[in-house]
Amino acid sequence: MIRTVVFIIAFSLCVSAVWAKDEKSIKKLRDALVALAPDVDPGEAELVSVKAHTASRSLAREYGVVWFSGFQNLLIHMGKRQRGYCGHYTRDIGERLKELRLKTLVLHWGAAYAGTPAENNSLVVTARNQPFEEGIIMDGWRDSGQLFWCPLKEDIAYRRVPNPFLQRSPDGGFLDNSTAWKEDPLYTAWLHDYERAWEWQPAAR
């Protein structure tokens, strides 16, 4: 009985800590989305942030994630799990965000290192008429259900040079510091298609 009580208390504390962390991240992402352009609706930005964070956590439980993202990929390869690749997160979070029928924000599908073993797929959000490269990336896969987000240009994990630390200019800067993220027009079109459910296979990683 005592063990059960201790477990419940410990579990509750962990859940509270996770929620507090997510709550802080939700507010910061909302503010970052609002800052994209003067005409971004703060209420819409709030909805996007809340839904992206909660969906990412929910999907990790649904996928049966037990450790880091690469381990989940291994479990899928072994047939122990059915879902949990980056493409699954992107598609399933995208499905939920499509329900919002956004008016002042735009969803994009981003792919980094497409067609390689290092490929990653993620959602990118911009203001209306704003270039893809100016958007904010939202990645549920990278941190195993804890939503990772940042301005796309600041995503140092996905530069065009796989290991930029090996290629520096004489002044100490990177020879190539551009982002590896590129928009996938087909899947971006799917994110904007509110009337039809397309049949398609999400990216492998």
Side-chain angles (χ1 to χ4, degrees):
M1 181 65 178
I2 295 177
R3 284 184 179 179
T4 302
V5 172
V6 170
F7 174 79
I8 291 173
I9 293 173
F11 180 76
S12 298
L13 290 173
C14 289
V15 170
S16 296
V18 167
W19 174 244
K21 189 171 187 178
D22 279 0
E23 196 170 26
K24 185 176 180 180
S25 181
I26 286 170
K27 182 181 183 303
K28 286 187 174 182
L29 175 55
R30 180 201 65 197
D31 293 346
L33 292 172
V34 170
L36 285 173
D39 60 349
V40 172
D41 178 5
E44 190 168 86
E46 174 87 18
L47 287 173
V48 169
S49 185
V50 170
K51 191 169 281 276
H53 278 86
T54 55
S56 189
R57 289 288 191 190
S58 175
L59 289 169
R61 292 191 295 271
E62 180 183 317
Y63 299 157
V65 175
V66 294
W67 202 11
F68 65 96
S69 54
F71 185 68
Q72 183 74 4
N73 286 11
L74 177 62
L75 291 178
I76 296 172
H77 281 298
M78 294 171 61
K80 304 295 185 181
R81 295 289 189 276
Q82 297 301 311
R83 296 177 70 78
Y85 286 144
C86 61
H88 295 141
Y89 277 100
T90 307
R91 189 233 187 243
D92 292 345
I93 295 174
E95 279 276 18
R96 289 157 172 79
L97 293 178
K98 282 175 66 173
E99 296 171 359
L100 300 177
R101 294 177 176 261
L102 302 175
K103 294 180 173 59
T104 65
L105 292 168
V106 181
L107 297 174
H108 307 260
W109 185 293
Y113 304 130
T116 75
E119 178 174 346
N120 191 9
N121 295 269
S122 191
L123 293 169
V124 174
V125 187
T126 68
R128 288 286 176 185
N129 302 314
Q130 190 173 46
F132 170 81
E133 293 77 15
E134 299 297 325
I136 293 174
I137 188 168
M138 300 190 304
D139 186 347
W141 171 83
R142 193 178 314 192
D143 291 334
S144 302
Q146 177 184 323
L147 189 72
F148 170 88
W149 65 269
C150 74
L152 184 145
K153 289 182 177 180
E154 296 178 15
D155 188 5
I156 61 174
Y158 289 90
R159 297 299 192 193
R160 195 145 60 98
V161 175
N163 190 349
F165 294 99
L166 299 180
Q167 301 191 38
R168 290 184 177 273
S169 61
D171 63 359
F174 297 140
L175 289 178
D176 189 341
N177 202 27
S178 58
T179 182
W181 288 104
K182 305 296 179 187
E183 183 168 15
D184 187 309
L186 176 63
Y187 290 163
T188 291
W190 169 77
L191 287 167
H192 297 168
D193 187 345
Y194 301 133
E195 305 303 329
R196 293 182 299 153
W198 290 9
E199 291 297 328
W200 62 288
Q201 292 296 321
R205 285 176 56 88

